[in-house]
Amino acid sequence: MIVKGVSIPGVPDFIAQGPFIWIAAFLSVVVFFRSQGTYWLARLVTTGFLSSAKHSHRAWVIRLRKWVESASVRRGMDAVDRWGLIIIPLSFLTIGFQTVIHAGSGVLRLRWPVYTGVAVPGYIAWGTLYASIGVGLFKTGHAIAAGKTWALTMMTVFVIMLAILFMIRRAKVARERMEAAEPTV
């Protein structure tokens, strides 16, 4: 798949105008650096930093310590403990759960070669998935700008479906909170 003559903001032209495989490879490299950065930040912060930073009054140190000790990082650690290494590549197929898994892996001090080796399929899956979605959405947006009615209709239906899913999810969470807050007799 080639995106000819179209400029994608923030993406170098040799990637945006190249074949689909280049877009997927570029995005795989981007997610590699992002997940490795999260892993190493969490790992290095937990290596002696927490004990030496306990009495620090620097704002960035306090924020970093709170992040590593947060409930979300704890959820990532618990998920790695519960599901094992398979959760690392699977996390790339989620939204909002990736960071806590990679931070949890760093806090757990998984060996780097093991962590990276297990994450490689996730990098490839994430790059391919986002390249497909990104190119598809970009082409749809380009078609809308060109006045294609089918593209506008498709995008409108997509946005309405997302809004409905969002409202259903919010209602479910609110209902669960209400049930949890009700006193039992």
Side-chain angles (χ1 to χ4, degrees), residues 173-183:
V173 168
R175 189 172 46 252
E176 288 172 355
R177 284 185 182 158
M178 291 288 286
E179 289 172 0
E182 289 179 358

Side-chain angles (χ1 to χ4, degrees), residues 1-60:
M1 177 187 303
I2 298 176
V3 183
K4 292 274 187 199
V6 178
S7 177
I8 301 174
V11 177
D13 284 342
F14 74 92
I15 300 240
Q17 295 177 4
F20 174 80
I21 190 79
W22 286 111
I23 298 171
F26 173 76
L27 291 174
S28 296
V29 169
V30 167
V31 79
F32 166 83
F33 282 112
R34 180 181 171 271
S35 70
Q36 289 290 321
T38 304
Y39 166 83
W40 280 107
L41 179 64
R43 184 170 176 151
L44 293 173
V45 164
T46 57
T47 308
F49 174 83
L50 289 177
S51 61
S52 65
K54 226 172 201 145
H55 304 292
S56 176
H57 297 293
R58 292 186 175 127
W60 70 271

Side-chain angles (χ1 to χ4, degrees), residues 77-159:
M77 292 168 52
D78 292 344
V80 173
D81 277 342
R82 186 177 317 115
W83 295 95
L85 295 177
I86 191 67
I87 197 69
I88 294 170
L90 291 178
S91 73
F92 288 97
L93 303 176
T94 66
I95 296 173
F97 196 54
Q98 292 175 39
T99 303
V100 297
I101 291 296
H102 303 296
S105 298
V107 170
L108 288 172
R109 301 182 51 77
L110 290 179
R111 289 191 346 253
W112 178 77
V114 171
Y115 166 77
T116 302
V118 169
V120 167
Y123 300 149
I124 295 167
W126 190 91
T128 303
L129 180 67
Y130 275 78
S132 302
I133 293 170
V135 169
L137 286 175
F138 187 78
K139 285 185 172 186
T140 303
H142 199 258
I144 289 170
K148 305 287 184 187
T149 310
W150 67 266
L152 183 58
T153 303
M154 187 175 77
M155 190 57 78
T156 303
V157 168
F158 179 72
V159 169

